[in-house]
């Protein structure tokens, strides 16, 4: 949006990992800008609203959102805090366990998820249709499913070494 398109890298040139990471980051940035402009939320906030809308009217627990969105529980809590301040989600106590909470999207949150979801789908279709024909799109979806299966099985330990002496 407003930036000149970059030429595609030549196939089979250079390392294969860098382009995958770069493409993921570029797509995330593109969809985040769309979320901010069209929905006045971040991409991560949209993902929360979208997950809640998909389960509406059933509430979800924050830990379920954390698993579904593959985000840390502290990140989900910060997203829910921001969305609750804007009255896009509501949290209430769990009826059987006072340590747990249930989260639902408010009507305003459902509206953001619906309207912004349509924009997201349109942008994804625009990208896919411009880059690939129908057969290539089907093949890409199969390949993405395979890659996602491998990625979901990889665990990288969180060893946060403290900087300094």
């Amino acid at each position: 949006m407003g930036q000149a398109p970059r030429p595609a890298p030549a196939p089979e040139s250079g390392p294969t990992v860098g382009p995958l990471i770069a493409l993921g980051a570029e797509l995330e940035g593109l969809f985040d800008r769309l979320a901010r402009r069209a929905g006045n939320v971040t991409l991560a906030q949209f993902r929360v609203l979208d997950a809640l809308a998909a389960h509406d009217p059933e509430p979800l627990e924050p830990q379920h959102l954390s698993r579904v969105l593959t985000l840390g529980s502290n990140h989900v809590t910060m997203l829910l805090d921001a969305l609750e301040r804007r009255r896009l989600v509501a949290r209430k106590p769990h009826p059987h366990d006072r340590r747990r909470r249930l989260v639902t999207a408010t009507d305003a949150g459902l509206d953001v998820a619906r309207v912004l979801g349509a924009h997201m789908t349109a942008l994804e279709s625009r990208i896919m249709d411009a880059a690939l024909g129908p057969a290539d799109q089907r093949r890409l979806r199969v390949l993405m499913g395979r890659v996602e299966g491998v990625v979901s099985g990889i665990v990288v330990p969180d060893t946060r070494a403290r900087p300094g002496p």
Side-chain angles (χ1 to χ4, degrees):
M1 304 189 150
Q3 296 179 352
R6 287 189 209 135
E12 315 260 339
S13 67
T16 57
V17 175
L20 180 62
I21 293 169
L23 178 59
E26 184 139 355
L27 286 169
E28 183 175 12
L30 180 65
F31 281 93
D32 186 64
R33 287 189 302 277
L34 176 61
R36 290 171 188 273
R37 287 185 182 159
N40 197 26
V41 293
T42 66
L43 179 59
Q45 290 170 341
F46 165 72
R47 292 182 64 216
V48 169
L49 292 172
D50 189 51
L52 292 170
H55 287 86
D56 188 61
E58 296 298 318
L60 295 177
E61 293 185 44
Q63 74 179 49
H64 180 80
L65 286 167
S66 181
R67 278 194 314 273
V68 167
L69 302 175
T70 61
L71 296 172
S73 59
N74 58 338
H75 191 183
V76 169
T77 298
M78 291 185 329
L79 292 168
L80 291 173
D81 288 346
L83 291 167
E84 189 173 43
R85 280 192 300 274
R86 297 190 48 211
R87 293 181 168 74
L88 297 175
V89 301
R91 290 185 270 199
K92 63 181 181 179
H94 190 281
H96 307 296
D97 186 344
R98 64 187 181 141
R99 295 168 297 175
R100 294 163 44 197
R101 307 280 285 168
L102 297 174
V103 184
T104 56
T106 63
D107 288 342
L110 291 172
D111 285 344
V112 169
R114 180 182 49 77
V115 171
L116 187 50
H119 286 287
M120 294 285 188
T121 299
L123 179 56
E124 183 176 305
S125 293
R126 178 179 164 195
I127 293 167
M128 296 293 278
D129 292 345
L132 304 169
D136 285 338
Q137 287 184 33
R138 285 190 297 277
R139 181 76 176 134
L140 179 59
R141 282 180 173 69
V142 169
L143 294 172
M144 286 189 316
R146 288 173 40 193
V147 171
E148 184 179 17
V150 170
V151 169
S152 69
I154 295 174
V155 175
V156 177
D158 185 10
T159 56
R160 297 181 188 177
R162 294 187 175 263

